[in-house]
Amino acid sequence: NHSSLLREKIALLGIAIEDLRIEIPRISEYIVGIDAASDENAMEPWMFSLAYKYIRSKRITRPIAIERAGGMKSYYTIKNIGFTYHVGEDYRHIVSGLRHIDEVVEQFYYKPGDRLGHALALGQDIRSWIQETESVAMPVREYMENLLWIWGKSISGEVDLPVQLEMLEEKILLCAEKIYKNLSGITVRVLYQVYERKFLSGHKELLMELIEEEGDIDDVSNRNYWRKSDIPRTYCKMINANCPEYGRLWTEKRLLSTYYCPVFEERARQVEMVPVRENEAALYESLQEYLLKKIARKGIYIETNPTSNLNIGNIKEVLEHPIFRMSPLRPIAEKEQNILVTVNSDDPAVFNTNVENELAYVYYALEHAGCTKEDVLHWIDKIRQNGMDGSFISKVKECRTLLEEIGDILDLLESSC
């Protein structure tokens, strides 16, 4: 299946990056961070989770010895690479954007100093979004996972949400029925366990085990044998096209495998028209506030890109940018979140800008809005300092040293090819 192969390919890239930083002396001082960006609506965070988890968990900070002339050794330390992931920028539903942000922070082993790209859902004015959005067309599985995420937060007690669990569970099971048809063995808790398990490794092995168990076949490498066999109602419809419906009891393992089945993927992409109601504002605001507190507490940076967001986002003018809700110009209450926000240029070549221009753009917009020069400069200085403090580069080196070390790295890379 394409999803399985793509997820594995991304994981192998993560392995290659980490192995390279270990095997080539000092290259870890130049490859200091990774960033992933994709079509958020088509490639949800779970597709990248293996790569990020591998990079963060495989190795720990430790000294590496380098042989010098005369048999002498010098040591340097490989540090954990910094993480950035673009998320919460392009979303169908505000809950989708918030869920994706939470998934990255929780499932990618994020630590203080890591970054989220854009994360506009954190600063979205919920009530304005509701007023402007009558309904949202979204895949039924995305809608179901939004509901499962809310259910999980409510059940765990992480956040006090204004939601009726009975109604929430009924909506979840209605979505599940559209995907799986037969609900035998399916409960909301099982669906939630599957939702969490999709971020873990071992999916390929699980699929092979399932085929062996369901098909009772000795030679699992022989697809022709599967097709020609008289196995009744085997699980995989790609093996036995005569199976009209899956008629067995659903288990966590079987449900997880449907993420890689073209038949169930097509069902999961069925369009669900989700109405947006004003009485849901309190729920969405509670979820947003919960995430703001979590990110502030964890010391995670939010990269904002005013020009980029104005050009390709739904923001009409710079003063409407979510940055001012994530990091208010003049906090008026203790509950205002102290989010570590930076101003960035996104893609300078595409948007014909740089960080200096972005800061100037924000400055003149705030001044034009009537803010005092002192307040604006104080705020911009704080944002600028965030950018300096949040840099993944920890060592400042002279140009001569840089040229020498990069030359040595290039020689080692060339010799190892």
Side-chain angles (χ1 to χ4, degrees), residues 343-380:
V343 168
N344 303 80
S345 56
D346 202 0
D347 192 331
V350 172
F351 298 106
N352 190 30
T353 188
N354 54 38
V355 174
E356 183 180 358
N357 286 341
E358 295 295 287
L359 290 172
Y361 186 23
V362 172
Y363 172 85
Y364 287 117
L366 290 172
E367 188 182 49
H368 181 72
C371 300
T372 66
K373 180 179 179 180
E374 291 74 16
D375 284 342
V376 176
L377 289 176
H378 176 75
W379 183 84
I380 286 180

Side-chain angles (χ1 to χ4, degrees), residues 165-179:
L165 285 178
E166 294 82 3
M167 293 183 62
L168 184 61
E169 291 174 352
E170 183 180 354
K171 290 180 181 179
I172 291 170
L173 291 176
L174 285 173
C175 291
E177 189 174 16
K178 292 179 181 179
I179 300 172

Side-chain angles (χ1 to χ4, degrees), residues 209-225:
E209 289 174 8
L210 188 62
I211 290 174
E212 287 183 290
E213 293 170 6
E214 300 276 332
D216 193 24
I217 299 172
D218 294 329
D219 183 10
V220 296
S221 63
N222 191 340
R223 275 187 77 87
N224 291 328
Y225 176 79

Side-chain angles (χ1 to χ4, degrees), residues 83-145:
F83 280 178
T84 303
Y85 189 88
H86 280 61
V87 67
E89 175 191 9
D90 183 19
Y91 46 86
R92 298 183 181 92
H93 195 287
I94 185 64
V95 175
S96 299
L98 295 173
R99 170 170 65 86
H100 293 162
I101 292 170
D102 191 50
E103 289 171 349
V104 171
V105 172
E106 291 296 330
Q107 302 292 342
F108 286 28
Y109 298 159
Y110 257 51
K111 64 178 181 61
D114 287 330
R115 293 171 170 246
L116 296 172
H118 300 284
L120 298 178
L122 289 174
Q124 173 72 58
D125 186 321
I126 298 293
R127 296 187 183 271
S128 295
W129 181 83
I130 289 177
Q131 289 177 359
E132 296 170 0
T133 311
E134 182 176 346
S135 62
V136 176
M138 59 200 304
V140 64
R141 176 173 275 163
E142 180 182 335
Y143 179 46
M144 183 178 74
E145 292 192 342

Side-chain angles (χ1 to χ4, degrees), residues 1-6 207 259-262 265:
N1 178 270
H2 173 70
S3 298
S4 177
L5 293 174
L6 182 57
L207 292 174
Y259 281 85
Y260 300 106
C261 172
E265 277 190 337

Side-chain angles (χ1 to χ4, degrees), residues 14-34 55-56 59 62 64 76-82:
I15 293 171
I17 290 171
E18 186 64 6
D19 286 347
L20 191 66
R21 294 176 73 244
I22 292 168
E23 294 171 5
I24 305 297
R26 296 205 179 281
I27 199 172
S28 63
E29 296 177 10
Y30 293 87
I31 302 178
V32 295
I34 62 168
I55 292 173
R56 183 54 54 86
R59 311 287 184 178
R62 66 197 184 285
I64 301 293
Y76 73 101
T77 299
I78 293 181
K79 296 183 178 179
N80 277 328
I81 197 169

